Amino acid sequence: MYSLRFSFFLSLVLFFSLFISLYPSITGQAIQRTPQSITLPCGASITANTTLSGDIICSSVPYTFVLSINQPDVTLDCRGHRIANIGNIPWGINVNSPRVTIKNCIIENFTWGISVYSNAHQSTLEYNTLRFNIQGISLSSWQNFVSSNIFVNNTSALFGGRLSQFIANSIFGGSSGMALDSQHIVKHNSFYAVPTAITTNGNISLYYNNTFVGFGIVGISLGGNYNIISKNTFINYSTPVSFSQYSSYNTFTENIGFGTGFGLSINGRNHIVTHNILHGPGTRGVHLSKASSTTLLNNTLLDFSTGIYLISSNFNTLRSNILLSTSSDIRLSRSHHNAISLHSSSSPIPNGLELTDSYYTSVFNNIFANKIYCFNLGNSSYTTLSSNQCLDSKTGAEIRSSSHSVFSNNIFSNYDSSGFRVYSYGGYPVSFNLSFVFNCLKDSTGSPFYFSSMRDNTIASNIMRNLTGSGVYLSYNTLRNKVYNNYFVGNAIDGKDEFGTNFWNTTVSPGQNIIGGSYFGGNFWQNYSGVDVNGDLLGDTLVPYTSQGNIISGGDYHPLLQTTPLPQPIFPFVC
């Protein structure tokens, strides 16, 4: 994926290089004419280079415009003079020919301040002030250069402009800033108190190093494809950037945002969001709704209620983001086939990762600490939770009405209530076909496994050590759960089964067990005092072992033994 995206970047760079090289008004190739310094009447047509010597104030019909430029390669320099409407004239300056330059004008109170029509390509608009217009600049042509203009309280500052450059403009107030077409460069612009700063459905454009300041709704609203948004700063916007459901293959990188709602709102598909810093206080750092195949990588999300939130979003990758949230670090709802890895969070909040009605989620190598629930799953089946850590929290993983899932190679330490707490709720089916293998649960006051209303699950090859609560606790309505090849050492109570309808060993079969013996059978219990009679290092006396009477019916018929008093476990990592 990244090699394809690199090819796209290279193509984009080549496109912009070719675009600039073919643009004569930027490179100084326009034909120059000797300017004339005059005062023009309302409705004048300019056919030569012109410098204004005074203001032009127009009040009413028969004029529909103040000035019209109808020859190519003409420069109009207003030298700071005003072109103003004090009546009902709709157009300020109309441009009908290519390679026109308009500069140093103050244009105010028109429906359209400057209108560049479709045949007026390669025009340059620079150092102008447009204020109190309905639309400051309207571009219907291509390859224009709009630079260093000031827009003040226009309803809409700028519209249009395919294959154009917008550089170092300042926009103050109004309802919207720039409504842009495709294939443009927008850089070094400043937006102040503009509710919607940039809106575009265009493609293959660059938004670079712009600044958005002040109590806006959306900084950039993007509906197009193959765009790059990089190194921009957003301050006090409800949502700094929003990708629409029709957008795809956009890159959002190295931006800084302070959002009061969502830091980034994403719809569409195949986006890359990387190395951004987004601050609240807001509700969601990155919000994905009906988004797919999008990558969130190495972002820092601070002071949002939920750091990353996915709803109805599938096949996304979340990796190595830094999260400092106030409620949930990562939350998925009705979202499937997502991968979540390499996150770290120690903020004292309710949830690290929360899954609701979400299937086929892969969760790897995350570290959560100081949570109520490091992992909180509700009706979320086909989950893989592997190689994660939960430290200093109330519960490692709470699992409700979720089935067909694997929990392996995790470390849960210093939890207060439960390591894995599994039960069913609210009319949902019982949890079944869950596998808990090679997990390390240690140094805690809670039970490593608490099961209620679940059946046909497996707890195998786990280490449970130094626990003051009940070890494996099988409570109400647990049926046909299998517990074997586990290592119980230093615990107050190793196992507890209140109803006795579960299995505490498997069928004896050859293979290296958790303490290095040659057969699988039951579990290693530090407090088992029986002996091996036939040499297979499985206990033959004092069976079934009932964990000091805490297993009500049945028990372990094949406890594991070793020749040393306290054998060390055979385990894939240090526990």
Side-chain angles (χ1 to χ4, degrees):
M1 177 182 68
Y2 289 102
S3 62
L4 291 175
R5 184 52 57 90
F6 176 76
S7 299
F8 160 65
F9 271 110
L10 182 60
S11 300
L12 193 61
V13 169
L14 292 174
F15 160 73
F16 283 124
S17 300
L18 179 62
F19 160 46
I20 293 172
S21 70
L22 294 176
Y23 185 10
S25 69
I26 296 175
T27 56
Q29 298 174 26
I31 300 171
Q32 299 298 315
R33 300 169 185 260
T34 302
Q36 49 184 336
S37 181
I38 58 175
T39 299
L40 294 174
C42 298
S45 177
I46 298 174
T47 58
N49 292 343
T50 299
T51 300
L52 292 189
S53 60
D55 296 343
I56 305 176
I57 312 297
C58 301
S59 60
S60 62
V61 293
Y63 312 110
T64 58
F65 58 85
V66 175
L67 298 177
S68 178
I69 302 176
N70 301 305
Q71 289 292 325
D73 306 303
V74 165
T75 295
L76 170 63
D77 184 352
C78 294
R79 297 190 66 181
H81 291 296
R82 295 168 63 213
I83 299 174
N85 170 36
I86 58 173
N88 55 2
I89 300 175
W91 284 279
I93 301 175
N94 288 347
V95 180
N96 298 293
S97 295
R99 298 181 302 280
V100 166
T101 296
I102 301 173
K103 61 183 181 179
N104 300 319
C105 299
I106 299 173
I107 302 169
E108 56 188 37
N109 291 322
F110 293 94
T111 302
W112 295 276
I114 300 175
S115 295
V116 181
Y117 290 101
S118 59
N119 57 339
H121 305 308
Q122 301 174 2
S123 293
T124 297
L125 310 176
E126 59 185 358
Y127 301 106
N128 300 290
T129 297
L130 297 106
R131 59 194 185 193
F132 314 123
N133 303 285
I134 302 244
Q135 192 166 96
I137 295 175
S138 175
L139 300 172
S140 299
S141 60
W142 294 10
Q143 294 183 326
N144 300 292
F145 182 67
V146 182
S147 175
S148 304
N149 300 284
I150 297 173
F151 299 83
V152 179
N153 289 334
N154 303 278
T155 302
S156 173
L158 192 149
F159 175 85
R162 179 169 292 193
L163 283 166
S164 296
Q165 296 195 51
F166 305 93
I167 299 174
N169 299 284
S170 298
I171 301 178
F172 298 85
S175 297
S176 64
M178 299 179 177
L180 301 177
D181 208 325
S182 292
Q183 296 168 296
H184 46 255
I185 297 173
V186 182
K187 65 180 183 178
H188 304 304
N189 300 282
S190 298
F191 300 81
Y192 301 93
V194 183
T196 302
I198 297 177
T199 302
T200 179
N201 291 321
N203 308 318
I204 317 178
S205 297
L206 172 66
Y207 303 86
Y208 179 81
N209 202 20
N210 302 284
T211 301
F212 304 79
V213 179
F215 308 107
I217 299 172
V218 179
I220 299 176
S221 178
L222 183 65
N225 311 314
Y226 297 102
N227 299 287
I228 299 172
I229 302 173
S230 178
K231 296 188 176 180
N232 302 281
T233 300
F234 304 86
I235 300 173
N236 287 334
Y237 270 79
S238 177
T239 301
V241 176
S242 175
F243 294 171
S244 83
Q245 62 179 318
Y246 304 108
S247 62
S248 63
Y249 295 98
N250 295 294
T251 298
F252 184 75
T253 181
E254 297 184 87
N255 299 281
I256 297 175
F258 295 83
T260 57
F262 301 163
L264 173 63
S265 178
I266 299 177
N267 293 265
R269 59 189 176 87
N270 295 103
H271 305 297
I272 290 180
V273 179
T274 179
H275 292 95
N276 302 284
I277 300 175
L278 303 176
H279 298 256
T283 54
R284 295 164 189 172
V286 179
H287 173 83
L288 281 74
S289 176
K290 298 181 180 178
S292 63
S293 304
T294 288
T295 298
L296 273 60
L297 174 67
N298 288 322
N299 300 284
T300 299
L301 308 172
L302 307 174
D303 199 22
F304 292 93
S305 177
T306 300
I308 301 172
Y309 185 94
L310 278 68
I311 182 168
S312 302
S313 296
N314 307 323
F315 298 101
N316 300 288
T317 299
L318 284 57
R319 183 178 179 186
S320 300
N321 300 287
I322 297 173
L323 306 167
L324 183 59
S325 310
T326 60
S327 179
S328 296
D329 285 318
I330 302 172
R331 183 179 177 188
L332 279 66
S333 177
R334 302 193 304 275
S335 298
H336 314 305
H337 297 281
N338 295 289
I340 303 167
S341 64
L342 295 171
H343 295 91
S344 177
S345 169
S346 59
S347 53
I349 60 174
N351 297 297
L353 170 63
E354 183 178 1
L355 304 179
T356 304
D357 302 323
S358 298
Y359 297 163
Y360 297 102
T361 305
S362 298
V363 185
F364 293 92
N365 295 305
N366 302 281
I367 301 175
F368 293 110
N370 302 313
K371 314 298 181 192
I372 296 177
Y373 306 104
C374 288
F375 305 94
N376 191 343
L377 284 66
N379 192 35
S380 295
S381 299
Y382 302 98
T383 297
T384 300
L385 191 80
S386 181
S387 302
N388 303 282
Q389 294 187 48
C390 175
L391 312 173
D392 305 317
S393 298
K394 180 179 178 181
T395 298
E398 174 151 311
I399 304 163
R400 303 177 306 283
S401 300
S402 302
S403 301
H404 302 290
S405 298
V406 176
F407 304 87
S408 67
N409 296 84
N410 301 289
I411 298 175
F412 291 176
S413 175
N414 198 26
Y415 49 85
D416 298 332
S417 177
S418 303
F420 293 95
R421 184 170 185 260
V422 188
Y423 62 99
S424 300
Y425 71 113
Y428 286 90
V430 299
S431 299
F432 65 95
N433 198 22
L434 303 177
S435 295
F436 301 86
V437 295
F438 292 116
N439 297 288
C440 169
L441 302 109
K442 63 179 182 176
D443 306 326
S444 302
T445 58
S447 299
F449 294 95
Y450 175 85
F451 287 4
S452 175
S453 297
M454 58 180 298
R455 60 179 173 81
D456 299 302
N457 303 287
T458 299
I459 301 173
S461 305
N462 302 282
I463 293 176
M464 287 162 270
R465 66 191 332 162
N466 301 329
L467 306 170
T468 58
S470 299
V472 176
Y473 186 179
L474 304 182
S475 184
Y476 173 76
N477 195 25
T478 55
L479 178 66
R480 298 191 302 274
N481 297 290
K482 185 176 290 188
V483 184
Y484 71 95
N485 201 46
N486 297 288
Y487 183 86
F488 296 95
V489 171
N491 307 315
I493 300 175
D494 290 329
K496 188 173 183 178
D497 188 345
E498 295 180 337
F499 292 90
T501 52
N502 301 288
F503 305 105
W504 289 85
N505 55 264
T506 188
T507 303
V508 175
S509 60
Q512 187 183 62
N513 63 42
I514 197 167
I515 55 172
S518 299
Y519 292 93
F520 291 107
N523 304 277
F524 176 77
W525 312 85
Q526 185 181 12
N527 296 320
Y528 171 63
S529 56
V531 297
D532 170 29
V533 175
N534 58 9
D536 59 3
L537 294 179
L538 301 177
D540 296 308
T541 66
L542 302 179
V543 294
Y545 178 67
T546 62
S547 184
Q548 300 172 314
N550 288 291
I551 299 174
I552 300 303
S553 176
D556 188 346
Y557 287 86
H558 306 292
L560 305 181
L561 293 173
Q562 194 48 275
T563 55
T564 57
L566 186 60
Q568 293 304 304
I570 307 299
F571 214 61
F573 56 91
V574 176
C575 173

